[in-house]
């Protein structure tokens, strides 16, 4: 995969986290046998080294045959989000060591790997910044009986969900346009154009 293709995919699927309006996004990359260029792991590691000083991290959650699951997150936002008492309570109940963000992200990666080929444990919605009541609703209803669906299944405030989804899509469209014009995500972040 080329760096340009990687950037385009990041803009398409992770722009809310890149822009700092959401704590994290995840993206699944197909891994094609014999594909030329650096692998996803190598690209992600390079971006992580370069952008961590800009409060943006790249964590491989799972490498499965045929695909790779990457989480792009803002450590400051994610840590603040996961420290909310009701979220922390759920994570503790689910067996997470909540002493540090690094521990929680590491445990999430381990759970993603154990869930099956790049599948998700239900609490991943907490890491992605979805409303607690929707994550709990998903767990209790096993993904059924939701009121609305956009980036997640909504069990509580549909209007809030619509507003968030609309905002995320505007940010996505803007970032894709900039990346397509030839400006890299790294250049934007280092120039202070985004969070």
């Amino acid at each position: 995969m080329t760096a340009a293709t990687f950037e385009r995919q990041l803009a398409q699927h992770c722009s809310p986290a890149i822009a700092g309006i959401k704590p994290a996004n995840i993206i699944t990359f197909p891994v094609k046998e014999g594909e030329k260029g650096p692998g996803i792991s190598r690209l992600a590691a390079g971006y992580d080294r370069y952008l961590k000083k800009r409060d943006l991290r790249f964590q491989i959650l799972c490498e499965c045959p045929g695909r790779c699951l990457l989480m792009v997150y803002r450590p400051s936002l994610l840590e603040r989000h996961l420290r909310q008492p009701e979220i922390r309570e759920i994570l503790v109940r689910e067996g997470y060591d909540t002493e540090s963000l690094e521990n929680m992200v590491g445990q999430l990666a381990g759970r993603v790997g154990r869930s099956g080929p790049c599948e998700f444990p239900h609490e991943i919605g907490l890491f992605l910044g979805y409303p607690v009541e929707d994550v709990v609703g998903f767990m209790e209803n096993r993904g059924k009986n939701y009121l609305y669906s956009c980036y997640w299944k909504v069990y509580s405030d549909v209007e809030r969900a619509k507003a968030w989804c609309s905002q995320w899509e505007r940010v996505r469209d803007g970032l894709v346009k900039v990346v397509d014009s030839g400006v890299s995500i790294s250049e934007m972040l280092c120039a202070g154009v985004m969070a």
Side-chain angles (χ1 to χ4, degrees):
M1 173 174 286
T2 66
T5 302
F6 183 68
E7 287 241 343
R8 179 65 158 70
Q9 292 298 311
L10 289 175
Q12 185 71 33
H13 300 283
C14 299
S15 53
I18 292 167
I21 62 169
K22 188 172 182 282
N25 284 104
I26 55 173
I27 179 174
T28 301
F29 287 97
V31 178
K32 299 174 185 145
E33 193 173 318
E35 185 172 35
K36 295 183 182 190
I40 301 302
S41 295
R42 202 165 121 214
L43 283 165
Y47 275 71
D48 187 64
R49 271 191 309 279
Y50 187 68
L51 293 174
K52 68 182 171 186
K53 62 184 172 264
R54 301 278 182 216
D55 192 36
L56 191 63
R57 302 300 308 264
F58 294 74
Q59 170 77 42
I60 300 289
L61 294 180
C62 180
E63 290 185 89
C64 312
R67 59 187 166 183
C68 179
L69 183 66
L70 173 68
M71 184 167 86
V72 176
Y73 66 100
R74 292 274 181 178
S76 62
L77 291 177
L78 184 56
E79 185 157 25
R80 187 169 50 247
H81 178 71
L82 296 178
R83 292 280 174 224
Q84 293 177 59
E86 61 275 14
I87 293 175
R88 189 178 202 151
E89 180 182 314
I90 294 167
L91 291 174
V92 167
R93 188 174 59 235
E94 292 296 319
Y96 281 80
D97 172 2
T98 60
E99 290 304 310
S100 76
L101 180 61
E102 188 174 294
N103 286 350
M104 291 184 281
V105 171
Q107 288 177 290
L108 176 65
R111 287 168 183 245
V112 168
R114 286 191 305 273
S115 294
C118 285
E119 291 185 15
F120 309 114
H122 297 311
E123 70 273 7
I124 197 167
L126 298 172
F127 288 83
L128 297 175
Y130 300 149
V132 176
E133 53 274 15
D134 291 342
V135 174
V136 170
F138 184 88
M139 293 168 141
E140 290 174 349
N141 290 278
R142 299 192 169 143
K144 298 177 183 172
N145 306 319
Y146 52 91
L147 303 172
Y148 179 73
S149 179
C150 50
Y151 292 96
W152 74 97
K153 291 184 177 175
V154 178
Y155 291 86
S156 59
D157 189 337
V158 172
E159 293 310 310
R160 173 184 60 191
K162 288 179 179 180
W164 286 9
C165 291
S166 178
Q167 179 188 30
W168 297 346
E169 288 165 359
R170 282 191 307 276
V171 168
R172 177 202 62 210
D173 294 347
L175 187 55
V176 166
K177 186 183 283 188
V178 171
V179 167
D180 285 349
S181 77
V183 178
S184 76
I185 291 169
S186 301
E187 290 169 329
M188 279 187 300
L189 289 169
C190 291
V193 175
M194 298 185 102

